[in-house]
């Protein structure tokens, strides 16, 4: 629903420039039952370390229960209730075991002109977060604020705006207590081939540094996507992703520092299987 949540501002550009780029080895297997139960086993190899995760999801009408266990002995439980008492309202309860201070209650509300997200930690000195987006699908503005009740300080206050056309999306973020400015755009060049270009320019006022990254994507065929990106520091990345069956992907990606090609080449492989 328009205008969406605060996290949706600039998401198209972020997905184009960052999503699925990977320099590690990842494998994921998901099995689904006709009764709304899905079990996912995943493993990631980073350098010489291997990290594993087991994810179980149970859906029943408006109720979703997610339980994730990882190789670090953490157990994350998330309970989501859609249409919680009123249309457009969603409630989310999350808890990480054994961290007793990790409990959090979150409420999301969406309608045609606003998207609001509020969360509070379930402990004696909770962190409180509130974000809101107001406007329409064509133009929206939003704020994102976090308050630490233990120190009585605002730990985060960000602002953003977004302009959306059928084939062009532009956004502007003011982050890190006003220290960084991020401008981004996404342009769908050819819809039938999925050809799109995007760029992101970020500037830190305290360090007086700027980073520019731009990228593109193209569909070789309905099942195969190629993407590439490059930044002003000489880092170049590319990937090829093939959907060899519905919701099952194999992705090969690479990254290289063009200023030191012989030393910096990295290659990643990701396999996602679902049945």
């Amino acid at each position: 629903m328009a205008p969406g949540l605060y996290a949706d501002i600039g998401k198209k550009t972020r997905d184009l420039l960052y999503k699925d780029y990977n320099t590690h080895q990842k494998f994921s297997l998901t099995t689904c039952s006709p009764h709304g139960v899905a079990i996912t086993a995943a493993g990631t190899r980073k350098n010489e370390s291997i990290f594993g995760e087991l994810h179980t999801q149970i859906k029943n009408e408006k109720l979703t229960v997610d339980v994730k266990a990882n190789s670090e002995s953490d157990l994350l439980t998330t309970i989501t209730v859609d249409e919680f008492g009123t249309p457009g309202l969603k409630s989310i309860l999350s808890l990480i075991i054994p961290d007793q201070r990790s409990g959090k209650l979150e409420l999301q509300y969406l309608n045609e002109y606003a998207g609001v997200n509020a969360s509070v930690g379930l402990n004696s000195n909770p962190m409180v977060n509130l974000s809101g987006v107001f406007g329409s699908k064509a133009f929206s503005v939003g704020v994102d604020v976090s308050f630490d009740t233990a120190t009585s300080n605002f730990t985060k206050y960000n602002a953003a705006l977004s302009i959306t056309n059928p084939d062009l999306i532009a956004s502007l973020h003011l982050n890190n207590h006003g220290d960084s400015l991020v401008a981004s755009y996404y342009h769908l060049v050819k819809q039938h081939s999925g050809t799109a270009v995007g760029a992101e320019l970020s500037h830190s006022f305290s360090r007086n540094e700027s980073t520019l990254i731009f990228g593109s994507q193209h569909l070789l065929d309905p099942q195969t996507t190629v993407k590439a990106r490059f930044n002003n520091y000489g880092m170049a990345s590319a990937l090829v992703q093939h959907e060899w069956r519905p919701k099952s992907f194999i992705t090969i990606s690479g990254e290289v520092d063009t200023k030191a090609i012989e030393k910096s080449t990295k290659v990643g492989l990701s396999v996602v299987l679902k049945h």
Side-chain angles (χ1 to χ4, degrees), residues 15-17 21 186-198 215-229 238-243:
D15 286 349
L16 173 65
L17 297 177
Y21 284 101
Y186 171 93
H187 181 206
L188 181 60
V189 180
K190 295 181 180 179
Q191 186 170 7
H192 68 277
S193 63
T195 303
V197 296
S216 64
Q217 71 175 24
H218 177 73
L219 297 181
L220 296 179
D221 57 54
Q223 288 77 40
T224 308
T225 302
V226 293
K227 295 172 63 175
R229 67 180 184 185
L239 69 81
V240 178
Q241 184 177 79
H242 180 68
E243 185 179 15

Side-chain angles (χ1 to χ4, degrees), residues 148-193:
D148 188 350
T149 59
T151 61
S152 298
N153 290 323
F154 286 96
T155 59
K156 176 175 66 175
Y157 42 87
N158 302 326
L161 62 85
S162 176
I163 300 173
T164 303
N165 291 319
D167 59 353
L168 179 65
I169 302 173
S171 64
L172 188 67
H173 284 77
L174 186 63
N175 298 329
N176 301 325
H177 296 210
D179 179 63
S180 64
L181 187 66
V182 180
S184 66
Y185 90 97
Y186 171 93
H187 181 206
L188 181 60
V189 180
K190 295 181 180 179
Q191 186 170 7
H192 68 277
S193 63

Side-chain angles (χ1 to χ4, degrees), residues 8-106:
D8 296 327
I9 297 180
K11 186 176 184 300
K12 273 279 190 179
T13 305
R14 292 194 299 272
D15 286 349
L16 173 65
L17 297 177
Y18 301 107
K19 186 178 180 181
D20 296 322
Y21 284 101
N22 174 48
T23 57
H24 308 296
Q25 288 72 50
K26 301 176 67 176
F27 178 83
S28 173
L29 174 63
T30 300
T31 60
C32 302
S33 78
H35 304 292
V37 179
I39 300 176
T40 301
T44 302
R45 181 177 179 179
K46 298 181 179 180
N47 299 322
E48 299 301 321
S49 301
I50 297 177
F51 304 90
E53 181 179 270
L54 183 64
H55 176 203
T56 301
Q57 183 182 80
I58 303 173
K59 286 187 176 183
N60 182 14
E61 295 181 352
K62 298 179 180 180
L63 176 67
T64 302
V65 179
D66 289 277
V67 180
K68 294 182 181 180
N70 60 32
S71 53
E72 298 178 348
S73 301
D74 293 327
L75 187 66
L76 171 61
T77 301
T78 305
I79 301 173
T80 304
V81 181
D82 291 317
E83 305 295 331
F84 185 64
T86 185
L89 181 63
K90 177 189 294 186
S91 66
I92 304 170
L93 176 65
S94 60
L95 175 67
I96 300 176
I97 299 173
D99 186 359
Q100 298 179 355
R101 294 174 51 85
S102 64
K104 183 175 71 172
L105 178 63
E106 182 177 353

Side-chain angles (χ1 to χ4, degrees), residues 238-250:
L239 69 81
V240 178
Q241 184 177 79
H242 180 68
E243 185 179 15
W244 57 280
R245 57 180 293 179
K247 298 183 180 180
S248 294
F249 301 89
I250 180 169

Side-chain angles (χ1 to χ4, degrees), residues 111-170:
N111 65 23
E112 188 177 357
Y113 302 105
V116 179
N117 187 304
S119 66
V120 59
L122 301 180
N123 52 64
S124 57
N125 296 300
M127 183 75 71
V128 180
N129 180 264
L130 177 64
S131 65
V133 180
F134 306 91
S136 64
K137 190 174 182 179
F139 177 79
S140 60
V141 295
V143 293
D144 183 23
V145 179
S146 289
F147 182 76
D148 188 350
T149 59
T151 61
S152 298
N153 290 323
F154 286 96
T155 59
K156 176 175 66 175
Y157 42 87
N158 302 326
L161 62 85
S162 176
I163 300 173
T164 303
N165 291 319
D167 59 353
L168 179 65
I169 302 173

